[in-house]
């Protein structure tokens, strides 16, 4: 499960977006945390096909912190997140989304500069003039931040990223921008490919039944629920794909980084599967649906046998063969 921290300037609608995405209330004064299921219609298709007793979706945890980067509590919570979603106001009188986005990014950069300088000072005292990997990594990070370059754009090496992990730099995290729109508007050009969400409209449907909420949103011209839009953007930013398992016991969606090998995907299911990996029986979702069932696909020779070097693809349906 991945954690996504919501951040934005006051009155950006950040907490309203939290309510819209999670269908829960947002309370001031402390962090609001809610786990949501990742919408995936493929699960229901497979569960019906294989008569699964249980269906388990992937999950994302959203965190809405009071004060954002202007409070110690907010910073601590944001540093725990896997990705950040910057909420930008594109509604009401005189919105200035480009300036608002720049302001949040500047605050994140300054927050990183502060923690990097403090960590560098401590690391230099420990090193006492000797060369040390953490000192060098922190010095390079400070140089980039001094130049107003977010660390994700500074070509941080894998080794430096390991050295910086302890301070969890905010500008090294994947970032998405959420344009908080009002009815009849579109994403402003200065926000590029920002995720478009009508948070105020969707928040009003938070206590409705799903079908009723969907019908009302369609009346307002909202074609895709904000949750789907934001999670899709988060998956792209985190470079995640979904693979699936199905059978009589359970149909389930699993997240894995793009480019992961079959044993790594097996390890997401259970570490024993990765340690004892022999091979994976694999078929694409569309091909499986066309076959009608796993049994029919196997009989028709549609299921591929893949080894340790196979890179998992979006929508692969997996069955792992292993020995411990």
């Amino acid at each position: 499960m991945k954690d996504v921290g919501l951040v934005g300037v006051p009155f950006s609608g950040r907490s309203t977006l939290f309510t819209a995405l999670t269908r829960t209330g947002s309370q001031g004064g402390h962090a609001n945390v809610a786990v949501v299921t990742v919408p995936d219609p493929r699960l229901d298709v497979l569960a019906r096909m294989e008569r699964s007793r249980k269906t388990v979706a992937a999950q994302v945890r959203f965190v809405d912190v009071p004060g954002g980067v202007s409070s110690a509590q907010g910073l601590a919570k944001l540093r725990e997140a896997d990705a950040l979603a910057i909420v930008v106001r594109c509604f009401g009188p005189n919105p200035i989304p480009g300036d608002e986005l720049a302001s949040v990014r500047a605050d994140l950069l300054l927050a990183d500069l502060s923690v990097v300088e403090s960590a560098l000072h401590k690391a230099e005292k420990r090193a006492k003039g000797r060369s040390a990997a953490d000192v060098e990594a922190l010095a390079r990070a400070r140089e980039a931040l001094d130049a107003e370059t977010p660390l994700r754009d500074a070509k941080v090496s894998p080794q430096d990223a390991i050295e910086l992990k302890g301070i969890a730099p905010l500008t090294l995290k994947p970032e998405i921008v959420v344009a908080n729109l009002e009815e009849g508007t579109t994403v402003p050009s200065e926000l590029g490919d920002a995720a478009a969400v009508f948070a105020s409209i969707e928040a009003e449907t938070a206590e409705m039944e799903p079908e009723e909420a969907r019908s009302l949103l369609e009346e307002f011209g909202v074609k895709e629920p904000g949750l789907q839009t934001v999670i899709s953007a988060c998956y792209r930013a985190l470079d995640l794909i979904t693979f699936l398992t199905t059978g009589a016991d359970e149909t389930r969606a699993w997240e894995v980084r793009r480019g992961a090998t079959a044993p790594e995907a097996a390890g997401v299911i259970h570490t024993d599967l990765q340690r004892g990996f022999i091979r994976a029986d694999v078929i694409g979702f569309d091909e499986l649906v066309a076959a009608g069932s796993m049994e029919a696909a196997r009989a028709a020779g549609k299921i591929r046998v893949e080894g340790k070097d196979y890179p998992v693809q979006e929508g692969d349906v997996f069955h792992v063969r292993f020995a411990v």
Side-chain angles (χ1 to χ4, degrees):
M1 185 190 319
K2 298 300 183 183
D3 286 10
V4 178
L6 303 180
V7 62
V9 302
F11 308 111
S12 63
R14 186 193 70 246
S15 294
T16 302
L17 177 65
F18 177 85
T19 298
L21 296 178
T22 65
R23 304 179 73 82
T24 63
S26 179
Q27 300 178 2
H30 60 86
N32 295 288
V33 181
V35 175
V36 301
T37 58
V38 177
D40 193 335
R42 296 174 297 189
L43 290 174
D44 289 337
V45 174
L46 293 180
R48 286 195 301 270
M49 182 184 300
E50 297 300 313
R51 296 183 174 86
S52 304
R53 287 185 283 274
K54 184 169 65 172
T55 302
V56 183
Q59 296 180 316
V60 170
R61 181 164 36 225
F62 286 104
V63 183
D64 171 31
V65 294
V69 293
S70 64
S71 73
Q73 180 193 10
L75 281 173
K77 283 294 183 182
L78 290 175
R79 293 195 189 283
E80 294 173 2
D82 297 293
L84 300 180
I86 301 178
V87 186
V88 180
R89 182 175 72 91
C90 302
F91 61 88
N94 304 316
I96 45 173
D99 290 354
E100 195 168 296
L101 175 59
S103 174
V104 174
R105 284 174 168 166
D107 286 345
L108 295 172
L109 192 145
L110 288 173
D112 272 359
L113 184 58
S114 176
V115 75
V116 164
E117 287 181 335
S118 175
L120 179 58
H121 178 68
K122 294 175 183 176
E124 287 174 335
K125 288 180 66 176
R126 288 195 304 270
K128 296 180 180 178
R130 300 190 305 273
S131 177
D134 59 342
V135 172
E136 294 173 0
L138 287 163
R140 284 189 284 269
R142 183 180 64 179
E143 182 180 359
L145 294 167
D146 277 338
E148 300 183 1
T149 302
L151 295 180
R152 77 177 68 83
D153 297 333
K155 298 181 180 179
V156 174
S157 70
Q159 184 57 45
D160 278 6
I162 293 173
E163 297 295 337
L164 296 172
K165 188 175 181 180
I167 61 172
L170 298 170
T171 64
L172 193 54
K173 298 180 185 297
E175 170 199 281
I176 70 166
V177 178
V178 180
N180 192 0
L181 304 172
E182 61 186 348
E183 183 184 359
T185 63
T186 58
V187 176
S189 59
E190 60 263 43
L191 296 187
D193 60 351
V197 177
F198 300 85
S200 180
I201 297 173
E202 293 208 40
E204 294 177 9
T205 71
E207 297 182 3
M208 296 181 180
E209 291 298 321
E211 287 300 323
E212 184 183 4
R214 189 177 300 111
S215 177
L216 180 60
L217 291 175
E218 288 176 354
E219 289 181 18
F220 281 107
V222 180
K223 297 179 180 179
E224 181 177 71
L227 179 61
Q228 181 68 66
T229 301
V230 172
I231 286 181
S232 294
C234 289
Y235 267 48
R236 288 193 297 273
L238 289 162
D239 210 18
L240 297 176
I241 60 172
T242 302
F243 71 96
L244 308 154
T245 55
T246 190
D249 289 336
E250 176 185 273
T251 290
R252 185 164 184 158
W254 307 86
E255 67 184 34
V256 69
R257 65 172 181 80
R258 188 179 304 278
T261 61
E264 290 171 329
V268 172
I269 301 172
H270 197 286
T271 53
D272 284 348
L273 299 188
Q274 183 168 7
R275 284 198 300 269
F277 181 89
I278 298 173
R279 69 178 191 269
D281 296 340
V282 183
I283 184 171
F285 170 79
D286 291 338
E287 195 171 12
L288 176 56
V289 172
S293 70
M294 288 292 286
E295 183 179 355
R298 196 176 301 278
K302 298 294 186 180
I303 296 179
R304 310 186 309 275
V305 176
E306 302 290 359
K308 294 182 178 180
D309 295 330
Y310 174 71
V312 182
Q313 304 298 309
E314 171 66 38
D316 274 351
V317 183
F318 249 55
H319 179 73
V320 179
R321 305 287 183 175
F322 73 106
V324 177

